[in-house]
Amino acid sequence: MKLLIKAGADVNGKGSAMSPLVFATGQGGYTNFIRLLLKAGADPNIPDDLGQLPIKLAAARDCREEVEMLFPLTSPIPNVKNWSIDGIISHAKQENAKPMKEEHIKVRKATIRSQADKAFRQKEYDTASKFYTVLIDVGPDATLYSNRSLCKLNLGDGEGALSDAYQCRMLRPDWAKAFYRQATAHMLLKEYKQARDALLDVQKLDPGNDEIERELSTAMELMKNSPDEDEQ
């Protein structure tokens, strides 16, 4: 990120549905990243899709350090009567305790999904994976696990990709793509027999697919040439 900022990257994420500060303060674990963004001139007065400012998101997580960084740069929020560090934290906690409205949940999920898909298209697989994780935590879905599996595959995380592929299969046991995700993860892990078996399952669900035929041939050829594969 330091290199991107030095290269002139927009620290406010202009044109995106969610600014970097909104994402970082909403998820937690990005305190140093927030400090870097603020130092680079990121605007803490850009709200999220529901009108919440980064300082309120950080306060809702009770992250005092982040609130202290954001407070001098944030314009007072009209409905926060006690505009102080303690006041904003107390207010945010009270607001956070209230259940989120259904329409707000839908808006939030759509926004995060849009950001995840955009990050994936831009080959920012780690960022996309984090967004998909947020969505999975809200409500597990086979497509989300499939997408995160592909992100992890592109990041070289074979075990993570395989774990998500298994979750995908459990949720949609008749979906060819779920088995394909499993196969590609096994291929990355050089587990060619398991990859072959998963591709055979794909064939049953999607017969006549030329790409699967080629992948299957590759897996079987690698099985023959791999001394570690024990055909049973």
Side-chain angles (χ1 to χ4, degrees):
M1 178 52 68
K2 287 183 179 179
L3 293 175
L4 288 174
I5 291 175
K6 286 181 179 179
D10 183 4
V11 292
N12 290 318
K14 186 177 180 180
S16 299
M18 182 183 295
S19 75
L21 269 181
V22 165
F23 172 76
T25 52
Q27 299 309 309
Y30 294 94
T31 303
N32 290 333
F33 179 47
I34 292 168
R35 185 178 290 108
L36 181 65
L37 286 170
L38 292 174
K39 187 176 180 180
D43 185 357
N45 294 295
I46 298 176
D48 67 6
D49 51 315
L50 301 180
Q52 304 297 317
L53 293 179
I55 193 170
K56 197 169 181 180
L57 298 175
R61 294 178 18 256
D62 199 19
C63 187
R64 190 179 187 88
E65 183 179 1
E66 292 176 11
V67 174
E68 288 175 346
M69 284 192 290
L70 291 159
F71 187 77
L73 303 171
T74 303
S75 300
I77 301 173
N79 66 339
V80 180
K81 296 179 180 179
N82 178 12
W83 185 247
S84 65
I85 291 172
D86 288 329
I88 184 64
I89 291 175
S90 175
H91 174 84
K93 283 183 177 179
Q94 291 175 17
E95 290 291 307
N96 201 45
K98 300 176 183 178
M100 186 179 287
K101 295 180 180 179
E102 186 63 32
E103 59 266 31
H104 287 176
I105 294 175
K106 290 180 180 179
V107 170
R108 176 59 50 81
K109 288 174 69 175
T111 300
I112 296 173
R113 181 59 182 267
S114 174
Q115 290 296 99
D117 293 343
K118 179 181 178 181
F120 184 86
R121 289 194 300 271
Q122 295 177 339
K123 298 184 179 181
E124 297 172 358
Y125 300 119
D126 186 53
T127 299
S129 180
K130 287 182 171 65
F131 279 125
Y132 288 129
T133 297
V134 173
L135 292 168
I136 287 170
D137 289 343
V138 173
D141 174 87
T143 301
L144 296 175
Y145 275 115
S146 173
N147 291 351
R148 193 173 70 174
S149 178
L150 185 55
C151 287
K152 291 180 178 179
L153 191 77
N154 281 294
L155 290 168
D157 179 8
E159 293 291 348
L162 184 60
S163 176
D164 279 350
Y166 279 137
Q167 292 294 331
C168 185
R169 278 187 58 171
M170 289 174 62
L171 291 168
R172 287 185 64 178
D174 58 348
W175 192 26
K177 184 176 285 187
F179 290 86
Y180 183 70
R181 291 283 182 259
Q182 180 189 346
T184 53
H186 281 306
M187 289 290 281
L188 180 62
L189 294 167
K190 298 182 180 181
E191 297 170 347
Y192 304 123
K193 181 179 182 298
Q194 293 93 323
R196 180 205 63 182
D197 293 344
L199 287 166
L200 287 171
D201 288 332
V202 178
Q203 267 194 330
K204 295 174 185 176
L205 295 167
D206 187 14
N209 187 313
D210 293 338
E211 181 182 353
I212 300 305
E213 292 285 351
R214 289 192 294 271
E215 295 274 1
L216 183 57
S217 295
T218 299
M220 294 179 72
E221 189 64 29
L222 288 169
M223 276 180 61
K224 295 177 184 178
N225 298 327
S226 176
D228 297 326
E229 289 290 345
D230 181 19
E231 182 69 50
Q232 296 180 354

